[in-house]
Every structure is written in structure tokens, then in C-alpha cells.
Amino acid sequence: DQKLTQSVSGNLKEFDWDAPHSGMTVAYLDGHGAMQEVSVTTGSPAVISQQGFKPKDFRAGSKVTMSWHPNRNGALGGELAELKLEDGRVLHGHGAYPSIPGGKTRASPSAAGL
């Protein structure tokens, strides 16, 4: 649901650098002190690379803050909005359409007729 955003701070458990969509799992403590995990999908390795990231940037165990658009069916998880890494860099989800290095801007799906 693109109208909603949820977020957690925790540790990156895994990052799958896969096509057509990459994905990640973040482990975090919920409001009751219980360990939980949330998995989300994001853009392809090509989209992630355009933002200046490489697979080695996503280390298991690193502290992260992640926000995502939740699944409409209520299941935990969804589509990445952004992932803030320990070093302060931010990976934007493929729905965010940030500027690409070099001054080009990616078109939104609606503008592209998708």
C-alpha cells in the first residue's frame, strides 16, 4: 500500500542482490521486546547500482533503519521505501524514483505509461 509507510531500526539480517527484484530482511525488537523479522523487496541490482551501491555495502549484522510500504493483505513486509545504512547513506526503494547520478531523473511508472 503506497499510501502507508512503516519503519523499524534493527540489524540487517540478509540482503539478496537478485534480479528482477532484490530483497532484504531486517531483525528488530518489537514493542514487547521480542525479536521480529521483516522482509521487503526493492529494485533490481541495476537500479540499486544507479544509486551508487554495491553488494558489499549491505553487510549482515549492520545497524539500519528501514521504512517500507506494507503489504495490502496485512502480512508483515512489503516494498522498500528507504534503507538508511550505518554510514548515513540511504538506499531509496524502486518506487521512490530518485535522481540518478549524472543529472538524469528516472520517470515514474505513470509518466512512462506503466
Side-chain angles (χ1 to χ4, degrees), residues 1 52 67 76:
D1 187 341
S67 61
L76 186 58

Side-chain angles (χ1 to χ4, degrees), residues 6 24 28 42 45 53-54 62 74-75 78 81-82 86 88 97 100 105 107:
Q6 298 176 332
M24 65 198 74
Y28 66 98
T42 191
F53 292 95
K54 296 178 173 48
S62 62
E82 68 176 34
E86 280 182 298
Y97 301 98
I100 299 170
T105 302

Side-chain angles (χ1 to χ4, degrees), residues 80-104:
L80 181 71
E82 68 176 34
L83 180 73
K84 184 173 184 179
L85 302 176
E86 280 182 298
D87 64 9
R89 294 185 301 152
V90 177
L91 170 66
H92 298 278
H94 64 281
Y97 301 98
S99 296
I100 299 170
K104 297 178 183 174

Side-chain angles (χ1 to χ4, degrees), residues 27-91:
Y28 66 98
L29 291 175
D30 68 14
H32 304 287
M35 185 60 69
Q36 300 289 330
E37 294 181 0
V38 59
S39 297
V40 300
T41 61
T42 191
S44 69
V47 169
I48 296 168
S49 294
Q50 288 174 341
Q51 293 184 55
F53 292 95
K54 296 178 173 48
K56 67 178 182 164
D57 294 323
F58 305 99
R59 297 180 328 272
S62 62
K63 294 180 192 267
V64 298
T65 299
M66 180 175 72
S67 61
W68 70 95
H69 303 291
N71 291 314
R72 288 184 182 162
N73 67 4
L76 186 58
E79 179 183 284
L80 181 71
E82 68 176 34
L83 180 73
K84 184 173 184 179
L85 302 176
E86 280 182 298
D87 64 9
R89 294 185 301 152
V90 177
L91 170 66

